[in-house]
Amino acid sequence: MSLPIDLSVAMWTLGLGAIGAAVTGIILANTDLFLPKAEMASMDFLEEIDLKTLGQGEQRTFKAKDLWKMKGAVIMAVRREEASELSSLKPQLDQVGVPLYAVVKENIGTEVADFQPYFKGEIFLDEKRKFYGPQRRTMLLLALFRWNVWRNFWRAWRSGYTGNMDGEGVILGGVFVIGPGKQGVLLEHREKEFGDKVSLDAVLDAVKKIEAQPSDRGE
């Protein structure tokens, strides 16, 4: 039984319309139009973040401002691939006396221990995930349709960086270069999608602007 011509045309029209809508949706998903918008963090916000020490012994809670109050700091809240690349700057940071730190948003099982080989610095726990804010951003369904995300995942996998299936994995992170005293934030890179890495040259340029504060003993 053949369909009436008008019905066949209508079905073809609907089919083509659905395909066109899908293609348009994929194209739009690969623009910045629907990316979560980042809110820059103020120094007042960053200074009052509570962090916890990790490792053996009793955990100590302290304010994040202790990390940079004297020498400044490079602080990352990102993934293993970028942790490894930032760690490549450690010799240059050591030369100018600027420490490199990482914050993680959870401590589940061996997650931190598995992360440690990729990072040459101290790691602290940010239980309230403040370094991922002030406006916390996530990427889930949108990531499935973004070409750059798949390319970044493929690049990381080929380089031997693997993730884990424990805990939360959809929050976007960032990298900060913060100067001591009143210098404030010299660089704030907010990950706009998974694998959106900070420029290492930009990190070094920001570090060059850091002016160390004199110690309490006047040295």
Side-chain angles (χ1 to χ4, degrees), residues 34-115:
F34 297 112
L35 288 178
K37 299 298 184 288
E39 178 183 346
M40 297 296 100
S42 68
M43 282 302 295
D44 289 340
F45 176 84
L46 293 171
E47 287 176 345
E48 295 304 311
I49 294 176
D50 289 322
L51 298 177
K52 286 187 176 180
T53 57
L54 295 169
Q56 298 179 346
E58 184 178 354
Q59 284 189 331
R60 178 176 65 89
T61 300
F62 64 96
K63 295 297 183 182
K65 61 184 176 182
D66 291 346
L67 296 180
W68 60 77
K69 67 179 179 181
M70 296 303 297
K71 298 181 179 181
V74 177
I75 304 172
M76 54 149 285
V78 286
R79 301 166 204 283
R80 295 178 181 182
E81 182 184 16
E82 191 163 7
S84 179
E85 293 189 2
L86 284 168
S87 292
S88 71
L89 302 180
K90 189 70 162 59
Q92 292 158 278
L93 297 178
D94 288 344
Q95 284 183 351
V96 294
V98 175
L100 175 65
Y101 300 118
V103 297
V104 295
K105 55 186 177 294
E106 54 198 0
N107 183 16
I108 299 175
T110 61
E111 186 173 2
V112 174
D114 293 341
F115 178 80

Side-chain angles (χ1 to χ4, degrees), residues 177-178 183 186-187 200-210:
V177 178
I178 304 177
Q183 276 198 279
L186 302 174
L187 173 69
L200 299 185
D201 287 338
V203 172
L204 290 176
D205 286 343
V207 167
K208 291 176 183 176
K209 300 175 184 176
I210 290 178

Side-chain angles (χ1 to χ4, degrees), residues 70-159:
M70 296 303 297
K71 298 181 179 181
V74 177
I75 304 172
M76 54 149 285
V78 286
R79 301 166 204 283
R80 295 178 181 182
E81 182 184 16
E82 191 163 7
S84 179
E85 293 189 2
L86 284 168
S87 292
S88 71
L89 302 180
K90 189 70 162 59
Q92 292 158 278
L93 297 178
D94 288 344
Q95 284 183 351
V96 294
V98 175
L100 175 65
Y101 300 118
V103 297
V104 295
K105 55 186 177 294
E106 54 198 0
N107 183 16
I108 299 175
T110 61
E111 186 173 2
V112 174
D114 293 341
F115 178 80
Q116 182 71 74
Y118 300 94
F119 185 68
K120 297 178 182 178
E122 289 188 77
I123 303 174
F124 303 101
L125 178 62
D126 177 12
E127 283 186 316
K128 296 181 180 179
R129 303 174 180 178
K130 292 295 187 71
F131 267 103
Y132 301 82
Q135 180 180 332
R136 199 174 302 163
R137 300 163 303 121
T138 61
M139 176 171 281
L140 185 56
L141 293 178
L142 182 61
L144 299 177
F145 299 99
R146 287 188 66 82
W147 161 248
N148 283 341
V149 171
W150 285 103
R151 183 181 62 181
N152 293 340
F153 280 156
W154 174 249
R155 180 196 63 223
W157 181 80
R158 290 193 64 183
S159 299

